[in-house]
Amino acid sequence: FVSTRLGGYSQAHLQRLNLSLNVQDDTENVIKNRVALAEAVGFSPDSYCFANQVHSPNISLISNQDRGRGMYDYQDCIK
């Protein structure tokens, strides 16, 4: 699926549906945004697997064991 920035809880320059814990947004607002998106598409927020976005040719293979990584803590995301 693809999301937009419409809706959401983030404020100021990140206003709306910011999903990144790595851009100095309020963590609580980002988690609320992520939960709202999960509910909108019909799955558990603990099914997310977040990664640190890097523009490179490298890929990371993920599996069911990675479910929930990075959902609540940026340090736990796929790097």
Side-chain angles (χ1 to χ4, degrees):
F1 66 87
V2 176
S3 67
T4 69
R5 292 181 53 93
L6 299 176
Y9 297 92
S10 297
Q11 302 295 312
H13 72 286
L14 298 167
Q15 69 182 336
R16 308 210 184 210
L17 192 66
N18 172 45
L19 300 174
S20 177
L21 289 172
N22 193 30
V23 292
Q24 300 188 358
D25 194 355
D26 182 73
T27 299
E28 184 177 316
N29 287 340
V30 174
I31 291 171
K32 286 169 33 176
N33 289 339
R34 291 175 173 190
V35 169
L37 179 61
E39 289 173 352
V41 297
F43 66 85
S44 167
D46 294 325
S47 294
Y48 278 124
C49 180
F50 286 92
N52 179 41
Q53 182 178 356
V54 176
H55 298 278
S56 78
N58 300 329
I59 61 169
S60 295
L61 297 176
I62 60 172
S63 69
N64 282 335
Q65 294 173 326
D66 293 307
R67 285 179 163 208
R69 290 206 43 201
M71 172 60 194
Y72 303 101
D73 183 357
Y74 174 74
Q75 298 305 317
D76 187 42
C77 74
I78 302 291
K79 294 187 175 86

